[in-house]
């Protein structure tokens, strides 16, 4: 059985001081447990080093929310993969819909960043998901298939084992988001798995975790995790406070334990 993943991206929230408090409480919690869930948190750049240091030697992976695809150069305000690795990052989120909407991220730049992340030994967490209008017009599957295929363009299967996908329908994210039903999410996760299978074959495709994100909370988490092809959850608002994240971890642990004995 695939391991279950649970992570949170903080977006533009938490000063380094707040991040330190969050990470300290989380480290204390995870050090006292034997957890099976694969955990990650993605603080803003400014808190990455301090959070990575506090969570070093725990099972919580720490990553960034974006990076540039070049390794260095005249790109004022940008951050490279090796800079992230130097701060202790182990993974990097790429292509979140907020970056696509507000900062001109495209499928092609996501592909360049996937390659750069893999070169720097970072795990790329590639985000895909259709805007509501594409779903209304009945082309959500094509949209997401295209995003997956371009993200992985020229990525050989040998490097694929270090890649994670997140399906985050744009209409489900944030304050005004409507969470996907477990069935809607499962249907698109199946599409993504099939696309990966077409590209790399069944064995390799099965190894790639596909997480669901978009208004996940403690009420809908268990239902989503029961679905085939949903290998974990990627949470925003409902995990920005450490106590909420810890409760979500406990919930996912319980669901996973039940799944294992089912
Ligand atoms: P919300 O959980 O706040 O909808 O955000 C989801 C998200 O964007 C995770 O990347």
């Amino acid at each position: 059985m695939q391991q279950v993943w649970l992570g949170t991206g903080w977006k533009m929230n938490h000063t380094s001081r707040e991040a330190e408090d969050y990470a300290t409480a989380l480290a204390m919690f995870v050090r006292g447990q034997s957890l099976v869930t694969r955990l990650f948190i993605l603080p803003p750049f400014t808190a990455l080093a301090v959070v990575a240091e506090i969570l070093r030697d725990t099972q919580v992976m720490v990553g960034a929310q974006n990076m540039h695809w070049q390794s260095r150069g005249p790109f004022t305000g940008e951050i490279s993969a090796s800079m992230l690795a130097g701060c202790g990052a182990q993974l990097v989120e790429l292509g979140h819909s907020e970056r696509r909407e507000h900062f001109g991220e495209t499928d092609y730049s996501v592909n360049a960043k996937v390659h750069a992340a893999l070169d720097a030994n970072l795990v790329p967490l590639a985000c895909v998901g259709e805007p509501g209008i594409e779903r209304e017009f009945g082309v959500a599957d094509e949209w997401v298939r295209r995003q997956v295929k371009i993200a992985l363009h020229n990525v050989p299967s040998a490097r694929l084992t270090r890649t994670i996908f997140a399906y985050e329908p744009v209409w489900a994210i944030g304050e005004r988001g409507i969470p996907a039903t477990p069935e809607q999410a499962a249907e698109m996760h199946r599409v993504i798995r099939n696309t990966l299978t077409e590209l790399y074959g069944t064995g390799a495709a099965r190894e790639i975790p596909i997480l669901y994100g978009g208004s996940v909370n403690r009420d809908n988490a268990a239902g989503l995790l029961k679905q085939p092809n949903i290998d974990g959850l990627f949470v925003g608002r409902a995990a920005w406070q450490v106590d909420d994240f810890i409760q979500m971890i406990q919930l996912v642990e319980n669901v996973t334990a039940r799944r294992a004995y089912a």
Side-chain angles (χ1 to χ4, degrees):
M1 193 185 70
Q2 267 267 15
Q3 275 187 299
V4 175
W5 291 75
L6 175 67
T8 176
W10 292 357
K11 310 193 183 190
M12 198 171 72
N13 292 289
H14 296 326
T15 62
S16 11
R17 185 56 211 271
E18 291 161 352
E20 199 177 322
D21 291 346
Y22 188 118
T24 303
L26 182 59
M28 203 137 68
F29 170 73
V30 295
R31 285 207 167 97
Q33 311 282 320
S34 61
L35 303 169
V36 294
T37 310
R38 302 287 307 262
L39 301 170
F40 65 86
I41 59 175
L42 311 176
F45 291 135
T46 45
L48 194 51
V50 66
V51 168
E53 179 58 31
I54 293 168
L55 289 163
R56 196 153 53 101
D57 304 326
T58 72
Q59 67 192 96
V60 184
M61 293 171 79
V62 177
Q65 301 172 19
N66 178 39
M67 63 173 208
H68 198 271
W69 60 87
Q70 293 283 359
S71 54
R72 66 180 62 77
F75 302 104
T76 300
E78 288 292 332
I79 307 276
S80 73
S82 60
M83 291 173 189
L84 297 182
C87 286
Q90 295 161 280
L91 77 165
V92 60
E93 177 182 10
L94 302 173
H96 190 281
S97 67
E98 288 152 12
R99 295 216 56 84
R100 294 175 189 261
E101 181 184 348
H102 302 298
F103 305 105
E105 190 83 79
T106 65
D107 294 337
Y108 316 110
S109 58
V110 170
N111 176 246
K113 292 178 182 193
V114 166
H115 284 278
L118 291 169
D119 288 345
N121 243 349
L122 294 173
V123 173
L125 167 59
C127 300
V128 296
E130 79 287 356
I133 188 84
E134 308 300 326
R135 181 164 282 263
E136 273 172 40
F137 277 92
V139 292
D141 293 11
E142 288 95 316
W143 184 275
V144 171
R145 274 174 54 78
R146 182 179 190 279
Q147 288 182 322
V148 171
K149 288 176 84 166
I150 296 179
L152 292 175
H153 183 67
N154 279 342
V155 175
S157 59
R159 306 183 86 189
L160 202 60
T161 50
R162 293 181 52 75
T163 304
I164 303 173
F165 271 93
Y167 170 56
E168 303 208 316
V170 180
W171 45 271
I173 294 172
E175 295 287 347
R176 290 203 292 271
I178 300 160
T181 63
E183 294 72 26
Q184 283 173 321
E187 172 55 24
M188 193 60 84
H189 280 235
R190 190 182 59 78
V191 169
I192 295 170
R193 186 82 67 204
N194 287 348
T195 308
L196 296 169
T197 304
E198 269 171 49
L199 294 173
Y200 296 101
T202 318
R206 236 194 339 242
E207 297 297 310
I208 301 176
I210 308 173
L211 319 187
Y212 170 78
S215 295
V216 172
N217 55 42
R218 288 206 295 279
D219 295 331
N220 60 21
L224 288 158
L225 283 175
K226 285 190 189 122
Q227 298 295 324
N229 290 311
I230 299 188
D231 304 312
L233 302 172
F234 187 15
V235 190
R237 287 158 295 150
W240 288 344
Q241 302 306 318
V242 68
D243 292 345
D244 291 337
F245 190 40
I246 288 172
Q247 286 187 43
M248 186 84 80
I249 295 170
Q250 289 167 322
L251 185 151
V252 171
E253 286 283 314
N254 288 336
V255 173
T256 310
R258 282 203 300 276
R259 231 162 76 156
Y261 294 112

